[in-house]
Amino acid sequence: MTIRVILAEDNYLVREGLARLLQTQDGIELVATCGDLDELLSTV
Amino acid sequence: MVTDIRMPPTGTDEGVRAANELRSRAPSTGVVVLSQFVEPGYALALLEHGSEGRAYLLKERVSDIEQLRHAIDEVARGGSVIDSKVVEVLVEARTRSHESPLRFLTPREHEVLAGMAQGRNNAGIADALGLSERAVEKHINSVFAKLALSEEPDSHRRVKAVLLYLSDQS
């Protein structure tokens, strides 16, 4: 069963790094990345 | 949701707020908080509605994607993962408050001490609490006695009492 993940992180380097790491994971689907609270709450 | 804590707009507790929002909006969604620092206040705020489906990890201690993966898997099935360093800090804070000499103060004595920490003189404290100055002085003497502050000039004891109060607040 695939786990769908939203990533919220305002630091560009950390966000991109984490996104790529998560994308290497089987069973994890990175659905969206967000950089602030408003973006996060509207994405959820 | 994998989230940092501090984000725009305020850079304070956005991640924790979002996680708590999710309790009602999306109750079966797990949250992994990836924090730069051990911030016990935020850890407690994250867990105050329960630890089910919640993880608090420290960025500096995640050295392998497997650790993050494990936390994601855990919260997805309703489990929780709290970094042991965070647990340590929370337990230490609780132990400190249980051992603090401030635990012997009455509520009124706490209020008077808080007034001293705010830089008020006795008249100011009396005014703020609706007491006579004489009553404030009695409370202060009791505070000094309970905090075992030795026979020093009053100003030194006052500073020491305030320092004890402030270190207990952190």
Side-chain angles (χ1 to χ4, degrees), chain B residues 64-84:
Chain B
D64 192 307
I65 186 63
E66 288 310 316
Q67 290 170 266
L68 179 55
R69 178 56 192 270
H70 165 72
I72 292 173
D73 288 338
E74 266 303 306
V75 301
R77 59 166 168 254
S80 61
V81 182
I82 315 290
D83 185 286
S84 59

Side-chain angles (χ1 to χ4, degrees), chain A residues 3 5-10 14 18 21-22 24-28 34-38 40-42 44, chain B residues 1-4 6-9 14-15 17-18 21-22 25-26 34 59 65-66 68-69 72-73 76:
Chain A
I3 300 175
V5 174
I6 299 175
L7 173 60
E9 167 63 62
D10 60 318
V14 177
L18 267 175
L21 282 171
L22 288 172
T24 64
Q25 295 291 302
D26 286 331
I28 299 243
C34 310
D36 61 56
L37 181 63
D38 293 323
L40 175 56
L41 291 177
S42 50
V44 169
Chain B
M1 182 167 96
V2 175
T3 181
D4 192 357
R6 294 175 180 263
M7 272 191 281
E14 279 75 7
R17 277 191 275 152
E21 260 288 306
L22 248 59
R25 273 208 223 181
L34 262 179
K59 284 181 186 174
I65 186 63
E66 288 310 316
L68 179 55
R69 178 56 192 270
I72 292 173
D73 288 338

Side-chain angles (χ1 to χ4, degrees), chain B residues 45-104:
Chain B
L46 177 68
L47 304 173
E48 74 188 352
H49 301 293
S51 60
E52 199 182 294
R54 295 295 181 264
Y56 192 114
L57 302 181
L58 296 178
K59 284 181 186 174
E60 68 186 23
R61 283 161 57 89
V62 177
S63 50
D64 192 307
I65 186 63
E66 288 310 316
Q67 290 170 266
L68 179 55
R69 178 56 192 270
H70 165 72
I72 292 173
D73 288 338
E74 266 303 306
V75 301
R77 59 166 168 254
S80 61
V81 182
I82 315 290
D83 185 286
S84 59
K85 180 70 188 160
V86 175
V87 173
E88 212 178 279
V89 170
L90 288 173
V91 167
E92 196 213 341
R94 186 174 160 79
T95 308
R96 248 190 340 183
S97 76
H98 275 223
E99 292 171 347
S100 164
L102 296 187
R103 72 192 188 278
F104 297 124

